[in-house]
């Protein structure tokens, strides 16, 4: 069992004892998603911390998108609930890159690859994505690469 999964289970126990309903339900949902991911495929396997971080990132993104949809639909109570879950999930994710840090990484990658013009976007993304690794959403990275290649 990975260190992060252990932490999630211990935090679930703590949340249950503290009767924190939101944290308890969020952590149960995440642990269920981890179990599902472990059982997916032909054999049962353990997940690494990196795989769990990817799963947590995906779940946090779902929560943010759902909160936005509920907000647009006029269901602010449900949007707040989704935001609360997203905040809990973000506690387990690596610190997100600032816009300046992301811009620096993209600039360095463009310099390394010698890329120019929008057609080289894939080439730059291949270099940037491993360096970003869960610290920025793919859409943010793609937008920054596109912006720098178009100027």
């Amino acid at each position: 069992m990975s260190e992060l999964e252990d932490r999630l289970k211990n935090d679930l126990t703590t949340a249950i004892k503290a009767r924190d309903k939101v944290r308890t339900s969020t952590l149960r949902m995440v642990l269920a998603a981890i179990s599902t991911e472990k059982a997916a495929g032909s054999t049962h396997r353990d997940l690494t911390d990196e795989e769990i971080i990817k799963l947590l990132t995906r779940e946090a993104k779902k929560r943010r998108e759902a909160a936005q949809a509920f907000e647009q639909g006029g269901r602010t109570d449900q949007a707040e609930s989704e935001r609360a879950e997203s905040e809990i999930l973000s506690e387990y994710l690596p610190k997100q890159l600032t816009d300046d840090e992301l811009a620096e990484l993209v600039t360095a990658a463009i310099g390394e690859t010698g890329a120019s013009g929008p057609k080289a976007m894939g080439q730059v993304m291949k270099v940037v994505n491993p360096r970003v690794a869960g610290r920025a959403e793919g859409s943010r990275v793609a937008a920054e690469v596109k912006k720098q290649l178009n100027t």
Side-chain angles (χ1 to χ4, degrees):
M1 185 181 314
S2 78
E3 193 176 305
L4 184 55
E5 187 177 358
D6 244 358
R7 181 177 159 210
L8 288 164
K9 286 183 178 183
N10 290 335
D11 288 354
L12 174 62
T13 303
T14 305
I16 291 170
K17 289 178 182 175
R19 297 176 195 256
D20 184 343
K21 291 180 181 176
V22 175
R23 185 172 291 279
T24 299
S25 67
T26 303
L27 293 176
R28 280 188 172 148
M29 175 273 306
V30 167
L31 289 168
I34 290 171
S35 294
T36 302
E37 192 75 22
K38 283 180 170 183
S42 58
T43 59
H44 185 80
R45 64 187 179 88
D46 284 332
L47 300 179
T48 64
D49 279 350
E50 290 81 31
E51 291 171 314
I52 292 175
I53 287 173
K54 282 182 185 176
L55 185 137
L56 287 169
T57 302
R58 192 170 58 230
E59 292 296 327
K61 182 179 178 187
K62 284 181 191 176
R63 298 297 168 285
R64 282 192 304 277
E65 289 171 351
Q68 231 176 9
F70 283 128
E71 193 72 45
Q72 290 171 353
R75 300 202 40 209
T76 54
D77 56 330
Q78 194 68 29
E80 282 302 314
S81 172
E82 293 291 337
R83 279 193 202 93
E85 288 182 8
S86 179
E87 284 180 32
I88 291 169
L89 293 174
S90 68
E91 293 173 18
Y92 298 96
L93 294 172
K95 183 181 171 287
Q96 296 294 296
L97 292 171
T98 65
D99 290 338
D100 292 338
E101 292 169 331
L102 181 59
E104 285 178 31
L105 284 172
V106 171
T107 302
I110 289 172
E112 282 176 35
T113 59
S116 63
K119 290 185 178 181
M121 186 169 172
Q123 185 182 8
V124 176
M125 290 295 285
K126 283 181 188 173
V127 174
V128 172
N129 278 336
R131 295 178 186 169
V132 170
R135 297 183 298 155
E137 269 187 35
S139 58
R140 261 185 76 205
V141 176
E144 183 62 32
V145 169
K146 192 178 293 185
K147 182 179 110 181
Q148 287 193 28
L149 287 175
N150 285 332
T151 54

